[in-house]
Amino acid sequence: QVQLVESGGGLVQVGGSLRLSCAASGSIFSINAFRWYRQAPGKGREFVALINSDGSTTYADSVKGRFTISRDNGKNTVYLQMNSLKPEDTGVYYCHTFLKGGSDLWGQGTQVTVSS
């Protein structure tokens, strides 16, 4: 069964760093683009970053210069390196991709809490 599994969340102080991981099934990894989204308490899910199969990336303005998305095709894993974290970065972070036919595939999410 195709699935995404996130890890790496936790509690960190303002200005700190975390690296999130998203492990994906090998059957989809090499050809897919992957996205990170986040959802803060009481708010909707928002786009954070995208990495295409060719390695090109896109970021939300709120994280540009602080977050870096990358992928390791050999490990079927996508990463989100988060530096200079702010309280407004707090939320549940989700990994996402599209399956054949266009259906969404989401991971279970990992909690990131930035304390001041």
Side-chain angles (χ1 to χ4, degrees), residues 7-63:
S7 62
L11 175 64
V12 64
Q13 291 187 332
V14 170
S17 298
L18 283 174
R19 188 177 80 156
L20 306 183
S21 299
C22 171
S25 301
S27 61
I28 63 170
F29 189 84
S30 62
I31 62 172
N32 276 35
F34 290 85
R35 295 163 180 81
W36 285 98
Y37 287 81
R38 66 187 179 189
Q39 187 165 17
K43 296 187 177 181
R45 200 167 292 189
E46 66 170 353
F47 169 79
V48 175
L50 158 73
I51 187 164
N52 290 302
S53 57
D54 63 359
S56 58
T57 58
T58 303
Y59 296 93
D61 288 343
S62 59
V63 307

Side-chain angles (χ1 to χ4, degrees), residues 28 31-32 97-105:
I28 63 170
I31 62 172
N32 276 35
T97 192
F98 287 108
L99 298 175
K100 286 185 179 179
S103 59
D104 293 286
L105 178 65

Side-chain angles (χ1 to χ4, degrees), residues 8 12 15 19 21 26 37-38 52 63 69 77 81 83-84 87 91 95 105 110 112 115:
V12 64
R19 188 177 80 156
S21 299
Y37 287 81
R38 66 187 179 189
N52 290 302
V63 307
I69 188 172
T77 302
Q81 178 66 44
N83 299 327
S84 302
C95 187
L105 178 65
T110 186
V112 171
S115 68

